[in-house]
């Protein structure tokens, strides 16, 4: 009997195939096998959210998901957001309003924000706080994190409005 499981998934737009131990967590697969160390391991118990990635568009704590469970999925990590170009709107907003202090939680916060804004493009502060529940900032920079999410939402809405206008809509 084999001690590995063959998986095939798309990570940051690149198809990946690997044989993994059945109990290997997705976060460890991303960090150790693919070298994507932007996904942090904070608590290893799904409490802090530092390991959040998008799996098929939804924010998931990758320390709670086995790599084998991600078989067939599309995974997006923080490294994919600003490839060889400017920061994406959420990252830029976090930078602009100083929503990162030590930065350890930032990748998870940014990925959770992408999921939140995909479902709620104009969230209230209460919706932002609720949407980021489960992502802890050890520096307690929550005030600026909420400001960053609000700013990112505004910029994304403006950008989408310009695209709609340019398309004649």
């Amino acid at each position: 009997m084999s001690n590995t499981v063959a998986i095939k998934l798309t990570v940051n737009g690149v198809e990946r195939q690997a044989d993994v131990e059945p109990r290997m967590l997705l976060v460890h697969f991303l960090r150790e096998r693919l070298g994507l160390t932007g996904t942090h391991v904070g608590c290893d118990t799904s409490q802090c959210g530092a390991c959040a990635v998008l799996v098929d568009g939804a924010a998931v704590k990758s320390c709670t998901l086995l790599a084998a469970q991600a078989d067939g999925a599309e995974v997006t990590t923080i490294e994919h957001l600003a490839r060889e170009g400017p920061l994406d709107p959420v990252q830029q907003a976090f930078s602009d309003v100083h929503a990162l202090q030590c930065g350890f939680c930032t990748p998870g916060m940014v990925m959770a924000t992408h999921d939140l804004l995909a479902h709620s493009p104009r969230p209230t502060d209460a919706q932002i706080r609720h949407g980021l529940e489960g992502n802890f900032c050890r520096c307690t920079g929550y005030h600026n994190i909420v400001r960053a999410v609000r700013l990112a939402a505004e910029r994304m809405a403006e950008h989408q409005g310009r695209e709609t206008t340019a398309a004649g809509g």
Side-chain angles (χ1 to χ4, degrees):
M1 186 169 175
S2 175
N3 290 334
T4 62
V5 175
I7 62 170
K8 182 177 173 183
L9 62 161
T10 302
V11 180
N12 296 338
V14 177
E15 187 175 294
R16 306 286 187 154
Q17 295 182 32
D19 293 322
V20 299
E21 293 181 23
R23 296 186 327 167
M24 177 178 246
L25 295 172
L26 179 61
V27 67
H28 296 303
F29 176 74
L30 294 170
R31 291 180 57 84
E32 296 164 14
R33 300 284 288 273
L34 302 183
L36 298 170
T37 56
T39 302
H40 293 164
V41 178
C43 64
D44 237 355
T45 59
S46 78
Q47 300 296 309
C48 74
C51 65
V53 297
L54 298 178
V55 175
D56 294 330
V60 171
K61 294 177 180 175
S62 61
C63 76
T64 63
L65 188 69
L66 299 171
Q69 290 175 301
D71 184 40
E74 186 164 321
V75 178
T76 304
T77 69
I78 191 78
E79 287 91 347
H80 192 64
L81 299 182
R83 301 158 291 158
E84 302 175 24
L87 297 175
D88 90 325
V90 175
Q91 291 173 309
Q92 188 63 56
F94 270 68
S95 175
D96 289 349
V97 300
H98 308 289
L100 37 101
Q101 293 181 27
C102 80
F104 190 83
C105 71
T106 304
M109 291 284 187
V110 167
M111 302 311 284
T113 297
H114 271 278
D115 185 23
L116 170 67
L117 297 180
H119 296 95
S120 183
R122 292 288 213 167
T124 64
D125 285 2
Q127 289 170 320
I128 293 169
R129 292 179 192 284
H130 180 72
L132 297 181
E133 279 182 357
N135 289 76
F136 295 150
C137 171
R138 295 170 189 185
C139 304
T140 66
Y142 296 105
H143 179 72
N144 284 353
I145 290 170
V146 171
R147 288 181 53 215
V149 174
R150 194 178 329 117
L151 179 60
E154 290 168 8
R155 288 178 175 167
M156 292 168 84
E158 289 172 14
H159 179 74
Q160 189 169 13
R162 283 194 300 266
E163 285 184 350
T164 302
T165 302

